[in-house]
Amino acid sequence: MENTLYSYSPIIDRPKIVWPNGARVAFYVGLNVEHFEIGKPSTSIWEGTANLVPDPLNYGWRDYGVRVGIWRMIESFDKYGIRPSVLLNSDAAERYPQIIRAGKERNWTWLAHGKTNSMLHTDMAPAEERRFLIDVVETIAKATGQRPKGWMGPGLTETFETPRILKELGFAYVLDWTADDQPFALNLPGMISVPYSVELNDLGLFGAKSFTGEEFYRTIVDQFDQLFADGARSGRVMALALHPFVTGQAFRSKYLDKALDYIASHEGVWLTTSDEIAEHYLKNAGQSGSANDQPRALVEA
């Protein structure tokens, strides 16, 4: 089966992207605020107990993020003027009102991230999926006062119909397709993909790869330095994917702070949100839904 959602477009053949104020890199934090059901296996620090009910080891590890870790991370975000793009489960929107209140006070951006991270977004008929997505969107909008414009599925999951249904519900972009350093058009007019990362992602780096805090910091710096150099030719997006139960741990917090300080200290960086990246790209690219229809230049707004 061929991928018909988007067309092939090598980065060397595209029109130049110019971010506001001539920035080389548009940087945003993708902050995962999630709820996990106690009776279902999910993201685990030790698979040995993952299928037990209850599973205090793994459930407690995940629950640390919304109870403690996120509040430590907020201090760093505030220090550097970073407004996270929150990948929000609708169940989390209902269950953690203090987090929602903190985000509203700071003008965070809210994206739909499914209902719960104990449930992947798959195996639904179109009518069922539409009802499901309407409930997710309305729950998040009610809690945050902001109707989401962006989507990332739990575990970056979609059905083949998800982008079309999201478009009908007023969405402008998805994060699931981690195929690029720049936004790109889907073959669905008005819908784009905004870069996210499964590589520059604390869950993979600390979990699967067992990185130390220093290695995490070095990886972020190396990613930024290369994208900053690439951005001299055409603007790039740097997404830093974070989970409060991972980077919010006490012994890791200083490395996040150190990395954000490095990025924020550079001229030519747009500290922004995924919503603002999508809005700027759509406004200036004149998208018609096909990579082949992109104009030969993007001008600064």
Side-chain angles (χ1 to χ4, degrees), residues 220-236:
I220 295 172
V221 168
D222 289 346
Q223 178 88 345
F224 174 80
D225 286 348
Q226 184 61 56
L227 290 175
F228 192 78
D230 294 343
R233 296 185 294 273
S234 182
R236 299 303 201 262

mmCIF file of all heavy atoms in Angstrom, residues 220-236:
data_model
loop_
_atom_site.group_PDB
_atom_site.id
_atom_site.type_symbol
_atom_site.label_atom_id
_atom_site.label_comp_id
_atom_site.label_asym_id
_atom_site.label_seq_id
_atom_site.Cartn_x
_atom_site.Cartn_y
_atom_site.Cartn_z
ATOM 1 N N ILE A 220 20.455 17.381 22.935
ATOM 2 C CA ILE A 220 19.645 18.559 22.628
ATOM 3 C C ILE A 220 20.506 19.639 21.987
ATOM 4 O O ILE A 220 20.125 20.254 20.977
ATOM 5 C CB ILE A 220 18.955 19.092 23.896
ATOM 6 C CG1 ILE A 220 17.948 18.073 24.423
ATOM 7 C CG2 ILE A 220 18.263 20.431 23.624
ATOM 8 C CD1 ILE A 220 17.352 18.433 25.772
ATOM 9 N N VAL A 221 21.685 19.877 22.542
ATOM 10 C CA VAL A 221 22.597 20.887 22.003
ATOM 11 C C VAL A 221 23.029 20.521 20.588
ATOM 12 O O VAL A 221 23.054 21.367 19.680
ATOM 13 C CB VAL A 221 23.813 21.067 22.933
ATOM 14 C CG1 VAL A 221 24.908 21.882 22.247
ATOM 15 C CG2 VAL A 221 23.381 21.732 24.242
ATOM 16 N N ASP A 222 23.387 19.253 20.377
ATOM 17 C CA ASP A 222 23.819 18.822 19.045
ATOM 18 C C ASP A 222 22.693 18.979 18.021
ATOM 19 O O ASP A 222 22.938 19.402 16.875
ATOM 20 C CB ASP A 222 24.282 17.362 19.086
ATOM 21 C CG ASP A 222 25.609 17.186 19.819
ATOM 22 O OD1 ASP A 222 26.294 18.201 20.068
ATOM 23 O OD2 ASP A 222 25.949 16.029 20.139
ATOM 24 N N GLN A 223 21.481 18.624 18.426
ATOM 25 C CA GLN A 223 20.339 18.787 17.521
ATOM 26 C C GLN A 223 20.131 20.256 17.180
ATOM 27 O O GLN A 223 19.949 20.622 16.007
ATOM 28 C CB GLN A 223 19.069 18.217 18.180
ATOM 29 C CG GLN A 223 17.797 18.364 17.355
ATOM 30 C CD GLN A 223 17.569 17.218 16.403
ATOM 31 O OE1 GLN A 223 18.480 16.426 16.133
ATOM 32 N NE2 GLN A 223 16.351 17.104 15.890
ATOM 33 N N PHE A 224 20.164 21.093 18.194
ATOM 34 C CA PHE A 224 19.954 22.525 17.966
ATOM 35 C C PHE A 224 21.048 23.109 17.074
ATOM 36 O O PHE A 224 20.756 23.863 16.138
ATOM 37 C CB PHE A 224 19.918 23.272 19.294
ATOM 38 C CG PHE A 224 19.852 24.766 19.113
ATOM 39 C CD1 PHE A 224 18.650 25.391 18.818
ATOM 40 C CD2 PHE A 224 21.000 25.532 19.199
ATOM 41 C CE1 PHE A 224 18.588 26.765 18.618
ATOM 42 C CE2 PHE A 224 20.954 26.906 19.004
ATOM 43 C CZ PHE A 224 19.747 27.523 18.708
ATOM 44 N N ASP A 225 22.299 22.790 17.368
ATOM 45 C CA ASP A 225 23.405 23.366 16.596
ATOM 46 C C ASP A 225 23.285 23.031 15.109
ATOM 47 O O ASP A 225 23.528 23.886 14.242
ATOM 48 C CB ASP A 225 24.744 22.866 17.136
ATOM 49 C CG ASP A 225 25.132 23.517 18.464
ATOM 50 O OD1 ASP A 225 24.483 24.506 18.849
ATOM 51 O OD2 ASP A 225 26.076 23.015 19.103
ATOM 52 N N GLN A 226 22.930 21.782 14.799
ATOM 53 C CA GLN A 226 22.814 21.395 13.390
ATOM 54 C C GLN A 226 21.621 22.076 12.722
ATOM 55 O O GLN A 226 21.729 22.582 11.591
ATOM 56 C CB GLN A 226 22.681 19.881 13.259
ATOM 57 C CG GLN A 226 22.656 19.408 11.813
ATOM 58 C CD GLN A 226 23.929 19.774 11.060
ATOM 59 O OE1 GLN A 226 25.033 19.414 11.476
ATOM 60 N NE2 GLN A 226 23.796 20.495 9.947
ATOM 61 N N LEU A 227 20.483 22.117 13.404
ATOM 62 C CA LEU A 227 19.313 22.776 12.831
ATOM 63 C C LEU A 227 19.548 24.276 12.682
ATOM 64 O O LEU A 227 19.074 24.891 11.723
ATOM 65 C CB LEU A 227 18.081 22.515 13.697
ATOM 66 C CG LEU A 227 17.549 21.077 13.672
ATOM 67 C CD1 LEU A 227 16.407 20.923 14.673
ATOM 68 C CD2 LEU A 227 17.103 20.667 12.281
ATOM 69 N N PHE A 228 20.277 24.858 13.613
ATOM 70 C CA PHE A 228 20.594 26.290 13.531
ATOM 71 C C PHE A 228 21.468 26.559 12.305
ATOM 72 O O PHE A 228 21.272 27.547 11.586
ATOM 73 C CB PHE A 228 21.300 26.743 14.805
ATOM 74 C CG PHE A 228 21.418 28.234 14.937
ATOM 75 C CD1 PHE A 228 20.341 28.999 15.347
ATOM 76 C CD2 PHE A 228 22.621 28.878 14.666
ATOM 77 C CE1 PHE A 228 20.445 30.383 15.470
ATOM 78 C CE2 PHE A 228 22.741 30.248 14.788
ATOM 79 C CZ PHE A 228 21.648 31.006 15.196
ATOM 80 N N ALA A 229 22.431 25.671 12.053
ATOM 81 C CA ALA A 229 23.268 25.812 10.854
ATOM 82 C C ALA A 229 22.430 25.613 9.586
ATOM 83 O O ALA A 229 22.530 26.390 8.632
ATOM 84 C CB ALA A 229 24.417 24.810 10.895
ATOM 85 N N ASP A 230 21.586 24.592 9.574
ATOM 86 C CA ASP A 230 20.713 24.349 8.417
ATOM 87 C C ASP A 230 19.771 25.525 8.181
ATOM 88 O O ASP A 230 19.452 25.861 7.033
ATOM 89 C CB ASP A 230 19.867 23.091 8.642
ATOM 90 C CG ASP A 230 20.694 21.816 8.705
ATOM 91 O OD1 ASP A 230 21.856 21.823 8.265
ATOM 92 O OD2 ASP A 230 20.155 20.806 9.214
ATOM 93 N N GLY A 231 19.341 26.149 9.268
ATOM 94 C CA GLY A 231 18.378 27.240 9.181
ATOM 95 C C GLY A 231 18.904 28.492 8.525
ATOM 96 O O GLY A 231 18.129 29.392 8.202
ATOM 97 N N ALA A 232 20.204 28.563 8.307
ATOM 98 C CA ALA A 232 20.759 29.701 7.567
ATOM 99 C C ALA A 232 20.291 29.677 6.117
ATOM 100 O O ALA A 232 20.229 30.721 5.462
ATOM 101 C CB ALA A 232 22.287 29.675 7.640
ATOM 102 N N ARG A 233 19.961 28.485 5.610
ATOM 103 C CA ARG A 233 19.479 28.351 4.233
ATOM 104 C C ARG A 233 17.967 28.438 4.149
ATOM 105 O O ARG A 233 17.410 29.046 3.245
ATOM 106 C CB ARG A 233 19.967 27.021 3.645
ATOM 107 C CG ARG A 233 21.481 26.914 3.519
ATOM 108 C CD ARG A 233 21.895 25.637 2.821
ATOM 109 N NE ARG A 233 21.567 24.461 3.597
ATOM 110 C CZ ARG A 233 22.354 23.939 4.533
ATOM 111 N NH1 ARG A 233 23.514 24.522 4.822
ATOM 112 N NH2 ARG A 233 21.999 22.852 5.190
ATOM 113 N N SER A 234 17.290 27.806 5.098
ATOM 114 C CA SER A 234 15.826 27.804 5.135
ATOM 115 C C SER A 234 15.402 27.403 6.537
ATOM 116 O O SER A 234 16.011 26.507 7.141
ATOM 117 C CB SER A 234 15.265 26.817 4.104
ATOM 118 O OG SER A 234 13.850 26.834 4.094
ATOM 119 N N GLY A 235 14.376 28.057 7.056
ATOM 120 C CA GLY A 235 13.999 27.855 8.438
ATOM 121 C C GLY A 235 13.686 26.411 8.795
ATOM 122 O O GLY A 235 13.126 25.652 7.998
ATOM 123 N N ARG A 236 14.065 26.016 9.997
ATOM 124 C CA ARG A 236 13.827 24.674 10.510
ATOM 125 C C ARG A 236 12.952 24.739 11.766
ATOM 126 O O ARG A 236 12.831 25.775 12.402
ATOM 127 C CB ARG A 236 15.147 23.974 10.854
ATOM 128 C CG ARG A 236 16.116 23.777 9.693
ATOM 129 C CD ARG A 236 15.504 22.984 8.536
ATOM 130 N NE ARG A 236 16.504 22.382 7.670
ATOM 131 C CZ ARG A 236 16.922 22.899 6.520
ATOM 132 N NH1 ARG A 236 16.452 24.068 6.104
ATOM 133 N NH2 ARG A 236 17.816 22.264 5.775
#
